[in-house]
Amino acid sequence: MRQILFFLLVGIMGLSAWGEETFPKPVWQEKPSPMASSYAYPGGEISIYGGPSPDSLNYYLDTNVFSATVFTSMYETLISADPITLDDEPWLAEKWTISDDKKTFTFWIDPKARWSDGKPITAEDVKWTFETILDPKNLTGPHKVDLEVFEAPEILEPLVIRFTAREVHWRNLGAVGGMAILPKHAYQGQDFNLINFEFPVISGLYRLGEIRSGIYITMERREDWWRAGYPKARNTGNFQTLRFQLFESNETAFESFLKGQVDLYPVYTSRMWVNETVGEKFAKNWIVKQKVTNYDPVGFQGFAMNMRRPLFEDVRVRKALCHLLNREEMNATIMYNQYFLHRSYYEDLYDEEHPCPNQLVPFDKAAARALLKEAGWQASPATGVLEKDGRPFRINFLARGDSSMRFLSIYQQDLKDVGIVLEIDQKDWAAWSKDMDEYSYDMTWAAWGAGVRKDPESMWHSREADRPSGHNITGFKDPRVDELIERQKTIFDIQERHAIVRQIDQIIYDQFPYVLLWNTDYTRLLYWNKFGTPATVLSKYGDERSSYDLWWFDEDAEADLEDAMNTDRMLPPKGFDVDFDERFKEGEEQP
């Protein structure tokens, strides 16, 4: 389930000197997930906070995290990854080969693979998916990047397909092996840009159930899933129903959680985590509160500046805007010092062996004023607002959700003190997404996830700056970064490649395309104490979404919770700090 999200973490394996190498190796055998509990059993429901109502559930059209979760529960990839080692493993494809020049990839589809309507999954489906993503008419921008280097695929047999790349790239196997394959017979002839909420034919474990716009979306477990008998499916994907509750704000979702209308709530704000997770329900362990530390990659967040617009062309202006955000004060007074402050776009590439050379940008109004003056901005005698060439320094900040307003209000006042006007244009998710697809914004708050294998191309290469609906939302262009991105493409050693990404990071950092914010390196979970979980709670590389795969509905625990609440009784604690390495021992059964 959700193979594309997992497989995007994976790079290709080493090759031998022969004409081509076959995977998996003859000694390989599929095994159950070492994190799945033998106590897990199918059935029941979990109600999850899913975020705001999505514009589309088609992940190829809308790359938000929620749509990715739903879409990749329905549609599967050719190959997958070992959940611990990240080694490539079969999924829709039972085997594949890689040529010695690392350009040609041939896949043999598992003869047992079936669509939900009983039809076999074939090479025609793979080819049609590839062509649909690359079709210029389709708004699949970010997904085109990885696939554009390939020639049209060749169908060798009904279940055999070959891809040949025009250039060597370490991610090529992941690009084609990690596509979520769609059924040609179900969608051929339709306008793909209008396929948003109806998916009648699927291959994955879960199908869409009921959709109530703005309220909830359910997914139902399939009894006839073609992969149900395979070892890797054992004791995973246990819930009969996944109910994603949709809320426009975290606060409203949290209130619903406390009432028992939502079962699982990942906490994204420190105020809730510190101040509002108290009271009888928490003290008596009816609600479990856990801080889970694992290997989930660390992304970044910040105020993106649209460098396509003249206002942000000058790096001195961008740096000044960074100096005017009082992150230290916000972290201390609003966020209870629960966060580290960003000084990188790739935080988890730095450690004791590779210390980060980037210096934190301090809150410094004097430095900001000096930079702005140097860039030619002068205060108007009449209004006090900075002006240049007769134009006032006025920023329109494209915002969504209420949780950002406290931070923006503080930033707005500090900008005003130096003569900058910040106007906040608050929109709902759909309107915000539309503006972002068209890069119709000055500044906005953007948060990005990360993968284990760092791939800077889609966000930082110059040619991605003008691609509609892309990831290079700031319009960043730098020939030095372009050269380094091109250089790392043909390097298959991940450590050598990541050394180059650190160079890229340092160049980007000095260009200030974002006013960087803050982050955490752990997952904050709240859930009602009626579920079974593996010892690690989450997977090695997963956030709260990995709970849907590994947890199960425990009827005895639910009865115990109900009795405890009726009799005002305390339940046994589950432990606050969960460290993956401490709880997991490979090869041992996880209770």
Side-chain angles (χ1 to χ4, degrees):
M1 193 170 85
R2 292 189 293 278
Q3 294 304 309
I4 191 170
L5 289 179
F6 207 17
F7 187 73
L8 287 176
L9 303 174
V10 185
I12 76 172
M13 301 169 64
L15 305 178
S16 73
W18 297 98
E20 63 180 16
E21 191 168 3
T22 301
F23 300 91
K25 296 301 183 182
V27 296
W28 179 85
Q29 290 184 339
E30 182 169 330
K31 298 177 181 179
S33 169
M35 289 167 290
S37 172
S38 62
Y39 296 100
Y41 56 90
E45 177 179 301
I46 185 169
S47 175
I48 308 150
Y49 170 38
S53 187
D55 193 40
S56 172
L57 292 177
N58 186 340
Y59 179 57
Y60 283 133
L61 301 177
D62 190 349
T63 56
N64 72 81
V65 172
F66 176 64
S67 294
T69 300
V70 172
F71 193 71
T72 55
S73 297
M74 298 186 292
Y75 295 108
E76 301 168 300
T77 57
L78 290 170
I79 58 180
S80 179
D82 181 280
I84 298 298
T85 67
L86 298 183
D87 290 341
D88 307 317
E89 293 189 339
W91 200 257
L92 286 175
E94 62 177 356
K95 69 175 182 178
W96 62 95
T97 61
I98 304 175
S99 63
D100 62 350
D101 66 0
K102 305 176 186 178
K103 289 185 177 181
T104 301
F105 308 88
T106 306
F107 298 90
W108 283 257
I109 298 171
D110 191 327
K112 298 178 183 177
R114 290 290 184 275
W115 296 112
S116 55
D117 61 3
K119 295 182 183 298
I121 299 172
T122 70
E124 285 285 352
D125 297 309
V126 179
K127 182 178 181 180
W128 184 85
T129 302
F130 175 90
E131 292 172 344
T132 298
I133 294 170
L134 288 183
D135 190 329
K137 298 191 302 295
N138 295 334
L139 303 176
T140 53
H143 304 278
K144 288 179 165 67
V145 178
D146 293 357
L147 299 179
E148 286 174 333
V149 301
F150 287 92
E151 304 286 356
E154 305 171 73
I155 296 178
L156 306 183
E157 297 178 19
L159 298 182
V160 184
I161 189 166
R162 174 174 293 160
F163 289 90
T164 300
R166 289 183 288 272
E167 62 182 48
V168 175
H169 198 305
W170 61 265
R171 71 172 181 225
N172 280 345
L173 176 62
V176 289
M179 284 191 301
I181 306 304
L182 304 177
K184 176 181 178 180
H185 67 279
Y187 298 125
Q188 187 178 30
Q190 297 186 41
D191 184 343
F192 190 75
N193 294 318
L194 300 180
I195 300 174
N196 292 306
F197 295 99
E198 294 186 8
F199 307 95
V201 179
I202 63 171
S203 67
L205 177 56
Y206 283 92
R207 68 168 68 248
L208 272 179
E210 185 178 4
I211 298 179
R212 293 194 63 188
S213 181
I215 302 175
Y216 65 78
I217 292 172
T218 66
M219 304 196 74
E220 298 295 333
R221 190 176 191 269
R222 293 174 53 206
E223 297 300 324
D224 58 348
W225 181 39
W226 72 275
R227 237 183 179 277
Y230 284 60
K232 204 170 179 180
R234 194 176 303 159
N235 302 123
T236 65
N238 303 299
F239 293 105
Q240 179 59 39
T241 302
L242 304 176
R243 179 179 295 270
F244 295 100
Q245 304 279 14
L246 305 176
F247 299 92
E248 289 298 319
S249 74
N250 292 335
E251 289 76 9
T252 305
F254 184 65
E255 291 171 5
S256 184
F257 169 77
L258 292 178
K259 295 174 183 177
Q261 297 165 353
V262 174
D263 297 322
L264 171 64
Y265 183 85
V267 181
Y268 301 126
T269 57
S270 55
R271 171 180 51 81
M272 286 183 182
W273 187 246
V274 174
N275 284 343
E276 299 180 33
T277 55
V278 294
E280 181 182 41
K281 295 171 184 176
F282 296 93
K284 294 184 176 177
N285 303 311
W286 301 344
I287 293 176
V288 179
K289 177 180 179 180
Q290 289 181 321
K291 173 185 173 183
V292 183
T293 303
N294 59 4
Y295 292 85
D296 184 27
V298 179
F300 76 91
Q301 61 176 335
F303 298 160
M305 290 174 273
N306 191 348
M307 295 190 291
R308 302 170 187 85
R309 301 196 167 181
L311 186 61
F312 301 106
E313 286 179 345
D314 194 318
V315 66
R316 294 168 295 187
V317 169
R318 300 195 300 269
K319 185 175 182 179
L321 291 170
C322 295
H323 275 304
L324 291 169
L325 183 71
N326 197 341
R327 295 189 294 172
E328 296 87 347
E329 180 77 11
M330 291 177 181
N331 193 29
T333 60
I334 299 178
M335 300 181 293
Y336 308 92
N337 286 315
Q338 293 286 303
Y339 295 84
F340 67 83
L341 304 183
H342 276 304
R343 56 173 176 160
S344 167
Y345 295 90
Y346 297 94
E347 295 283 356
D348 52 9
L349 287 188
Y350 299 99
D351 51 28
E352 291 183 3
E353 186 177 349
H354 306 97
C356 182
N358 303 336
Q359 298 299 308
L360 280 173
V361 179
F363 177 66
D364 189 336
K365 288 185 180 179
R369 287 190 177 99
L371 286 165
L372 292 166
K373 182 178 180 180
E374 185 181 330
W377 291 92
Q378 299 288 336
S380 165
T383 64
V385 175
L386 294 179
E387 292 183 347
K388 183 179 180 181
D389 300 329
R391 185 184 64 183
F393 201 137
R394 190 180 302 273
I395 300 171
N396 183 276
F397 196 104
L398 179 62
R400 68 180 192 276
D402 296 328
S403 60
S404 63
M405 297 309 294
R406 288 180 302 156
F407 303 98
L408 292 180
S409 295
I410 296 171
Y411 192 43
Q412 186 179 46
Q413 184 58 53
D414 286 323
L415 291 176
K416 181 179 179 181
D417 287 348
V418 300
I420 298 173
V421 177
L422 183 74
E423 297 173 337
I424 301 172
D425 184 10
Q426 190 168 4
K427 297 188 177 183
D428 62 20
W429 175 267
W432 180 88
S433 296
K434 184 177 184 299
D435 283 347
M436 292 307 299
D437 285 343
E438 300 169 355
Y439 307 128
S440 179
Y441 80 102
D442 287 342
M443 291 182 79
T444 193
W445 190 324
W448 297 96
V452 175
R453 310 298 200 251
K454 310 304 182 188
D455 187 359
E457 185 171 355
S458 66
M459 184 173 289
W460 301 117
H461 203 292
S462 295
R463 67 167 163 263
E464 298 304 316
D466 301 314
R467 186 193 296 272
S469 306
H471 287 167
N472 189 348
I473 63 173
T474 62
F476 182 88
K477 295 181 179 181
D478 188 293
R480 297 169 298 166
V481 169
D482 293 346
E483 189 276 327
L484 289 167
I485 289 174
E486 293 300 320
R487 187 194 307 173
Q488 59 89 45
K489 287 181 178 182
T490 57
I491 296 173
F492 290 83
D493 181 277
I494 188 172
Q495 297 305 327
E496 185 179 350
R497 203 165 63 239
H498 283 178
I500 293 176
V501 177
R502 283 190 285 269
Q503 294 179 54
I504 292 171
D505 177 58
Q506 288 147 34
I507 295 171
I508 296 168
Y509 189 77
D510 290 338
Q511 291 296 313
F512 306 99
Y514 285 77
V515 179
L516 285 175
L517 299 177
W518 43 76
N519 216 327
T520 62
D521 54 4
Y522 55 86
T523 300
R524 298 180 289 204
L525 282 185
L526 302 176
Y527 57 95
W528 285 89
N529 199 348
K530 58 182 180 179
F531 301 105
T533 73
T536 59
V537 180
L538 301 178
S539 66
K540 183 175 181 179
Y541 296 99
D543 56 15
E544 66 275 1
R545 294 186 299 277
S546 66
S547 63
Y548 320 156
D549 285 340
L550 298 173
W551 294 16
W552 67 97
F553 180 76
D554 189 327
E555 294 177 349
D556 293 335
E558 183 192 42
D560 200 21
L561 171 63
E562 185 176 349
D563 179 72
M565 295 177 69
N566 289 335
T567 61
D568 200 27
R569 175 170 57 86
M570 180 179 290
L571 292 174
K574 286 199 170 186
F576 173 71
D577 280 301
V578 178
D579 182 271
F580 183 89
D581 287 337
E582 291 178 0
R583 294 208 178 189
F584 178 77
K585 293 181 179 179
E586 191 170 0
E588 293 187 5
E589 183 177 357
Q590 301 298 304

